[in-house]
Amino acid sequence: MDRIAFITGVSSGIGYGLTEAYLKSGGRVYGMSRRAPDGISGGPSGAFQFKSVDLAKLEEIPGAVKELLAGVAQIDVAILNAGILGPIADLSETPVAEMQQVMQVNLWANKVLLDAIFAIGIPVAQVVGISSGAATGANRGWNAYAISKAALNMLMGLYAAERPGTHFCALAPGIVDTAMQEKISKMPEDPRFDSLERLRSAKGTPLMPSPQDAAGRLIDGIAKATKYPSGSFLDVRSLVKRGPGG
C-alpha cells in the first residue's frame, strides 16, 4: 500500500496506531502533533516526516503545514484525528471558556488545517475527520466534546459541498483504548453520567481494542468510506461489518 497520508495527533492513541500501520504497509506519513511519537522515525527512506505544532494555536498552523508538506505532490488521505476531551460535567457547570478550548482543537483547527492544505494546491483524494458516537447521542456530561464532534460532522459535509474533487467523511472509530479512555477510567463515579460506567466496563476487554489493534479496522473503514456519499457521517463498526448496501 504505497499511500501518502497526512495525520494529526500522531504522538499517541489512534494517530500513532494509524501511523505505524501505514508505514508498515509501505506508505508515507506526514504527521503533526505537539510531541513527536516515540519509536517512530523517518528511517533511511524518510517515510515518516513530522512537524511539531500546538493545534490550539491556530495562527501557527498554516506555516507548519506549508513547511511539512513542501514538495509533496499529492495526499491520498488526510486524517484529522487530533482532539481533546474537555470536562465531563453538566453544561451549567462548564464555563464557556473551557468549551471554547475544546472547540478550538476539535473543530477550528481542522478548518485551518484544511484551508492551509488546499491553499498550497496539493490534490487531496480523501479527507477523514475522526468523529465519535458522542456526536449523535446527547449523553449527559459530554457537553463540549459532543458539540465539537457534531460540528466536525457538519464541517466535513460543508467542505464536501464545496470541493467535489475530494471525498470527505466524518468517521466514528468506535471505542479505542487511548489516553482519553485512561482519563475517563480515573474519573470519580457519578450517577449523572452513566455512559462513563459503560466505558469503564469495556476497558481491558475486546470491546476496547488498543490503537494498534484498531488501526487495521480503521484503515479498512477509511477505504470503504469512499463508496458512500461525500460528507457522510459513518461508524467504522457498522461500516466494516456491512459495507455499502450491506
Side-chain angles (χ1 to χ4, degrees):
M1 182 180 62
D2 187 15
R3 286 171 64 78
I4 298 174
F6 171 85
I7 306 174
T8 64
V10 296
S11 63
S12 63
I14 291 172
Y16 189 100
L18 287 171
T19 297
E20 278 193 320
Y22 276 115
L23 292 174
K24 286 179 180 177
S25 64
R28 299 177 63 84
V29 175
Y30 293 83
M32 300 185 84
S33 55
R34 284 183 299 175
R35 295 180 293 105
D38 293 333
I40 297 179
S41 66
S45 66
F48 177 66
Q49 299 292 324
F50 173 78
K51 177 64 179 176
S52 173
V53 64
D54 183 351
L55 294 177
K57 298 177 180 178
L58 303 185
E59 70 280 1
E60 295 182 3
I61 293 174
V65 168
K66 188 173 183 179
E67 182 178 339
L68 177 65
L69 299 180
V72 176
Q74 67 178 54
I75 295 173
D76 294 305
V77 59
I79 304 174
L80 308 177
N81 162 74
I84 58 176
L85 176 61
I88 298 293
D90 278 343
L91 282 169
S92 59
E93 300 170 350
T94 309
V96 168
E98 290 186 15
M99 298 184 71
Q100 286 176 328
Q101 292 174 6
V102 177
M103 297 294 287
Q104 187 92 336
V105 175
N106 294 5
L107 178 65
W108 301 126
N110 290 319
K111 177 195 174 341
V112 176
L113 278 163
L114 288 175
D115 290 346
I117 293 171
F118 290 127
I120 297 171
I122 300 173
V124 182
Q126 183 181 14
V127 173
V128 178
I130 297 298
S131 185
S132 169
T136 60
N139 288 308
R140 185 174 180 179
W142 287 85
N143 57 53
Y145 184 79
I147 293 170
S148 71
K149 292 300 185 179
L152 177 65
N153 292 0
M154 182 57 70
L155 188 77
M156 294 298 99
L158 291 168
Y159 272 109
E162 294 179 15
R163 292 188 167 270
T166 298
H167 187 279
F168 293 82
C169 77
L171 183 65
I175 52 176
V176 180
D177 197 357
T178 63
M180 186 181 88
Q181 298 297 342
E182 187 67 25
K183 180 178 178 180
I184 287 171
S185 70
K186 294 177 180 178
M187 290 179 179
E189 293 187 12
D190 190 322
R192 295 178 299 170
F193 312 133
D194 57 356
S195 61
L196 298 185
E197 187 53 43
R198 293 195 295 271
L199 293 173
R200 291 190 189 99
S201 65
K203 191 170 175 61
T205 76
L207 295 173
M208 187 182 289
S210 70
Q212 287 75 17
D213 289 338
R217 183 180 67 177
L218 279 167
I219 290 173
D220 186 22
I222 287 168
K224 289 181 177 178
T226 59
K227 306 300 183 183
Y228 292 79
S230 184
S232 295
F233 168 69
L234 304 164
D235 189 311
V236 73
R237 291 167 290 190
S238 59
L239 187 63
V240 171
K241 285 179 182 177
R242 294 198 303 265

